[in-house]
Amino acid sequence: MRKIMEELEDCPVIAAVKDEKGLEECLNMDVGMVFVLYGTVCTIGEIVKRIKDQGKIAVVHIDLIQGLSGKDAAVEFLKTYTRADGIITTKPALIKCAKELGMFTVLRFFVIDSMAYDNIQKQTAGYRPDVIEILPGLMPRVIEKIKKSVRCQVIAGGLISEKEDIVAALKAGAVAISTTDKNVWKM
């Protein structure tokens, strides 16, 4: 986990890839971590291998992989058969399983109202992910408030496409940002 956290601090831009074209492009960019937001149970092993072969950290959004269920066996499959470094999920129970397997864990939250905000504190305290990802990432005041209320690092994700967005999120306390915007990967 220490290596992954150091990578986030060294390179706070995470390439989030949602298709083959995005994967191809990120493999040739100077990003250290890749969030995989696509694939099937049949293709995820090769996707992760390509990322790892480039010396990058591969974190798979388990909820978005076709053919995987929201069960512990899906986490065990990713760990055993793909060598993924970690998972992203909106399901706290999967965080618990991944942590037990020694995987890096990202618990993703969509902050759409005060109920969602209150839920962040409860779920992070109960399941203790390595980091949480807040979407949309264009809310510096909310990021700052969340950062003060949880005991883990925060990643800002979603809708980040300008250098000013990155600076605002990092200044608010985010350790990194994740984006599918290939132009941001170059910054």
Side-chain angles (χ1 to χ4, degrees):
M1 259 10 95
R2 170 168 259 136
K3 177 185 176 231
I4 293 174
M5 294 309 291
E6 287 173 0
E7 181 60 42
L8 285 176
E9 291 169 9
D10 290 345
C11 183
V13 175
I14 301 165
V17 296
K18 58 185 177 180
D19 55 31
E20 187 63 27
K21 185 177 182 205
L23 177 63
E24 273 301 316
E25 291 185 39
C26 89
L27 293 177
N28 298 312
M29 301 244 181
D30 190 24
V31 293
M33 183 177 291
V34 179
F35 281 3
V36 180
L37 309 179
Y38 79 104
T40 70
V41 69
C42 297
T43 61
I44 193 62
E46 182 60 26
I47 293 168
V48 170
K49 180 183 183 314
R50 290 172 61 198
I51 294 166
K52 306 270 294 171
D53 285 351
Q54 292 296 314
K56 300 178 188 304
I57 297 166
V59 183
V60 176
H61 194 319
I62 195 168
D63 306 346
L64 300 179
I65 304 304
Q66 295 176 30
L68 291 182
S69 68
K71 306 282 186 206
D72 289 356
V75 178
E76 293 168 8
F77 171 83
L78 284 177
K79 173 72 175 175
T80 304
Y81 296 103
T82 73
R83 295 183 19 231
D85 296 294
I87 66 162
I88 306 163
T89 184
T90 59
K91 299 174 176 74
L94 296 182
I95 295 292
K96 182 179 183 224
C97 177
K99 286 188 75 67
E100 289 171 357
L101 294 172
M103 298 178 83
F104 179 70
T105 56
V106 181
L107 186 54
R108 180 180 261 194
F109 292 97
F110 295 93
V111 186
I112 57 171
D113 57 22
S114 59
M115 287 176 52
Y117 172 78
D118 292 340
N119 195 34
I120 292 170
Q121 294 171 319
K122 291 174 192 166
Q123 290 191 6
T124 55
Y127 292 93
R128 309 202 40 114
D130 295 304
V131 297
I132 59 172
E133 184 181 26
I134 304 301
L135 287 92
L138 299 176
M139 306 177 297
R141 282 184 281 178
V142 174
I143 293 168
E144 187 174 351
K145 189 175 174 183
I146 290 169
K147 179 64 178 140
K148 290 177 181 175
S149 69
V150 297
R151 292 185 165 172
C152 62
Q153 296 288 354
V154 175
I155 295 172
L159 303 177
I160 295 176
S161 61
E162 304 290 331
K163 185 174 183 175
E164 294 79 22
D165 302 335
I166 299 169
V167 171
L170 296 174
K171 190 173 182 180
V175 68
I177 64 98
S178 67
T179 182
T180 58
D181 188 324
K182 297 164 189 82
N183 293 317
V184 175
W185 301 346
K186 299 173 189 173
M187 292 182 194

